[in-house]
Amino acid sequence: MRGRRAWLLSASLADLVFLYAPIAVLMLFSFNASRLSATWQGFTFQWYRLLIEDVALLAAVQNSLLVGVISTIIATVLGVSAAVSLERVPFRGQRVVEGALLLPLVIPEVMMGVALMLFFVLIKLPLSLVTVTIGHAAFNLPIVAVIVRARLHKLDPRLEEAARDLGATPWQAFRRVTLPLLMPAVLGGALMAFTISLDDFIVTFFTAGPGSTTLPLKVYSMVKSGVSPVINALSAILVLVSMALIGLSLALQREREGQK
Amino acid sequence: MADYSVEIQDVVKYHSATLAVDHLSLEVRPGEFFSLLGPSGSGKTSTLRLLAGFERPDHGDIRIEGRSMRDVPPNLRPANLVFQTYALFPHLTVFDNIAFGLEMRRLSRAEIDPRVSAALDMMKLRGKRDRLPAQLSGGEQQRVALARALVNRPAGLLLDEPLGALDQQLRQDMQVELKAIQEQVGITFICVTHHQEEALTMSDRVAVMNHGRALQVGTPQEIYEAPASAFVANFIGVSNGLTGRIVTITGARCTVSLPDLPTGPTILARRPAGAVEGSRVTVLLRPERLHLSQDVHLNGFENALPARVSKAIYNGNEMQYLLRLSDSVSWKARVPNSGGDRKRFLPGEVIFVRWNADEGVVLTE
Amino acid sequence: MSPSDPSTTLSDHSPISRRPTWLLLPPLAWLGAFFFVPLLLVLAISFATRGTYGGVEWTFSFANYVTMLDPLYLKIYLRSLALAVATTALCLLLGFPLAYYIARAPARWQGIWLLLVIIPFWTNFLVRTYAWMFILRTEGLMNTLLMGMGLIEHPIEILYSDTAVLIGLVYGYLPFMVLPLYAAVERLDRSVVEAAWDLYAPAWAVFRRVIWPLTKPGVIAGCILVFIPSLGAFITPDLLGGARTMMVGNLIQHEYLVARDWPFGSAISFVLMGLVLLGMLVYLKVERARQGDETVSWAGGDRQ
């Protein structure tokens, strides 16, 4: 038993090293004074300074935030209404609708990207931030719906019945009882959608037009033009931002548990 | 050499910083039904897991049939465990569950099939051989768990709260059945339980455990009639106590004065071994051995003390009374409801509690 | 079951309504317009032919699907399949011990370990892929270190090879494997494993006869979750593989944006989607059979 645990622990630690060493190395070398070499040449902040001064990068961040916020709002509103209507009284053809709702989660992203691009080109909607936002809302809608529905499924339906019994209309019962209990899941789903939107590359790649460069597109073009410590610096910042977002979602989860 | 089937020799086991088993030594004879009785956290389950080999003692040794088990992993030990939750393999049929151990020891099919069939017959599971565990009732699952362990003919069968998951009625039936099975197969059983009635009914010998130590080892009768300490007495249901001092000793009897009670009365009790005049003693009495009456006379009993009824609880076949002997001393009494002429007492009533000197357990301090 | 089990509620008595609430309309309309219509478009175009200057000529033929049988393209499909299978196998190999360790760790450690698995999963995929470019390239960290230690004289050319793509894919999708495996091991009753051990099973037999069959649903789920995105991967082969090691995802992108042969690109993506959905269908079949099983085989066990 003892030997087995030691073996499992070392295998697990090896996995952790595999998962974290690349990120750690990346962050470390964002402070390296040498532009080309992978040997340590001294400490510097100059790559971060270059980042801050990059106007195009700033524009890309703005675009990403804009797309993220708007597509998250759309996906959240639509996703919650999908979850709520699916979790209520069962109806004919429900299984088909449920399957259709999950399809965007399983098909390859490349496929979704080209399909949207084709569609926009054929209906002659110019590729822009608008088309990017529409696409993000489309793949985030099912994600929000799944998260909210899981929470809805765990709620005791007798709560809403109790509210009805105490004289609430169906809408009042939903508004006053179900929605507040659902809020942590709604926020969690929205946060997830926002993160995915900020990180999305493939769908954006196919649906973005000139002047609608988002942060991942900018990162991609930087990476494509070769390794540079500026990308290391940008990566380090992105890693820290995603950690902050995880912290936020954990805080939301804790609140959810507190409400139980 | 192997006079004992299972020996626990000065075993110490820590779970991180807590001492689970504290210099425990026990010997179990071949073919014996031995129970470890104690409250949760007393170290009895740890002891069982040490015997099965899931944990290693920090100190001391365990021997099975004379062989040291120090470096022997569970799969090589001649002992099998019946888990409290049965731990049946959910993906295997009853037959495959029972055959598992034999297959692992690489017995041939020609040996496995008849042995499993015999085990199925003995446990009355013949018709269930192709069922999955979840398709069985709780009692059936338990019999599969027993069969799965017994079919290996282990030197010791370890049972972890074997009746804990069963309901009251099944539990009492299984106590009898388990004992019968043990006598039939003649295998050493070591059983962990927190249920005193279970331990006393089934076992040849019982070890009462607390804080990782065996406080008393003996036959059920010895444990029941002569508990060696207040903890043992309490744990097996002797809950009424009085402390006092021995005034006189006459032969096997002594007189004890009771300064805790308002009138400072004396009672007659058995003389504990080694006690002298002036020794401080505790007299313990079982709730079901007390006789209650409004009559002040002894009427053939050797002791009588006045008490006030503070609560009377109707409990089906018996009445439970809470009695106050003084501000600081409360007793319990249980009186069967069987006789139609039984008088019931009401709260507030003053009555007399009577008993014979030999009913009391006397412990010196 | 949970209190939300519909069979225990009053609403059970209300009749099944024939129509969903109007609330379902907006999300369905959005997905219809921006997901299903585009998907059908791809299907339609896959039967058309490429116009002289790119664009689409609306004829009907299976020519694009026939072209795909060309060894040049078949090779890319096979490479994608092989890489996806290898990625799945490696993730399983690396992920199982980790998942098992986490599920058997004390509760407060479980949370921390899970968090450590999830953090990379939430980190930008491009960044994580770039990290391997930084490490694996000819003048990269790995070669610098190995040469510095005198272990090699000439840099190893790993970047822009199948090996690099495989490393990147395993790195990217390992968390997808660990999470469902963890859930499966966590559900596995500890005493059942001990029972096998107690019944003379050596370590390997405990794993093969008890742990593996009882965690198989989690294994299948994890494999599907890794296999699907690996098969359709785009970023990893694009950045770590380069032109020499194309996968289907890159081929699609190439046909659409470089060769501007939309009909052929559409046909390729449809076959890719077909493969993925086929895998999904198999998984759902297995899952449904298992759940049917479960209601029989676990219902009693859970109640103990």
Side-chain angles (χ1 to χ4, degrees), chain C residues 188-228:
Chain C
L188 172 67
D189 186 354
R190 213 176 276 246
S191 61
V192 169
V193 177
E194 286 181 345
W197 205 18
D198 182 62
L199 292 165
Y200 313 104
W204 170 244
V206 173
F207 178 78
R208 207 183 60 78
R209 294 289 301 271
V210 175
I211 297 174
W212 180 257
L214 290 176
T215 51
K216 213 155 61 190
V219 171
I220 295 174
C223 286
I224 291 279
L225 286 179
V226 171
F227 184 79
I228 288 182

Side-chain angles (χ1 to χ4, degrees), chain A residues 15 19-20 153 220 228 232, chain C residues 4 18 94 116 130 171 238:
Chain A
D15 276 356
L19 284 176
Y20 281 90
H153 197 72
Y220 179 75
S228 136
N232 287 37
Chain C
S4 59
R18 276 150 203 286
L94 289 175
L116 287 174
Y130 169 73
Y171 183 67
D238 186 62

Side-chain angles (χ1 to χ4, degrees), chain B residues 25-42:
Chain B
S25 293
L26 290 172
E27 288 97 22
V28 183
R29 299 177 194 122
E32 195 172 29
F33 197 128
F34 192 93
S35 287
L36 299 173
L37 174 66
S40 60
S42 60

Side-chain angles (χ1 to χ4, degrees), chain B residues 49 54 74-75 77 79-81 83 85 87-91 100-101 103-105 134-135 141 148 152, chain C residues 189 191-192 194-203 205 209-210 213-214 296-301 304:
Chain B
R49 292 177 62 81
F54 297 129
N75 53 320
R77 289 193 186 201
N80 288 115
L81 176 59
F83 288 78
T85 52
L88 300 178
F89 304 121
H91 59 306
F100 191 91
E103 281 172 24
M104 287 299 136
R105 289 197 295 175
Q135 296 166 307
Q141 290 182 7
R148 185 176 71 172
N152 304 297
Chain C
D189 186 354
S191 61
V192 169
E194 286 181 345
W197 205 18
D198 182 62
L199 292 165
Y200 313 104
R209 294 289 301 271
V210 175
L214 290 176
V296 185
S297 70
W298 295 93
Q304 290 176 1

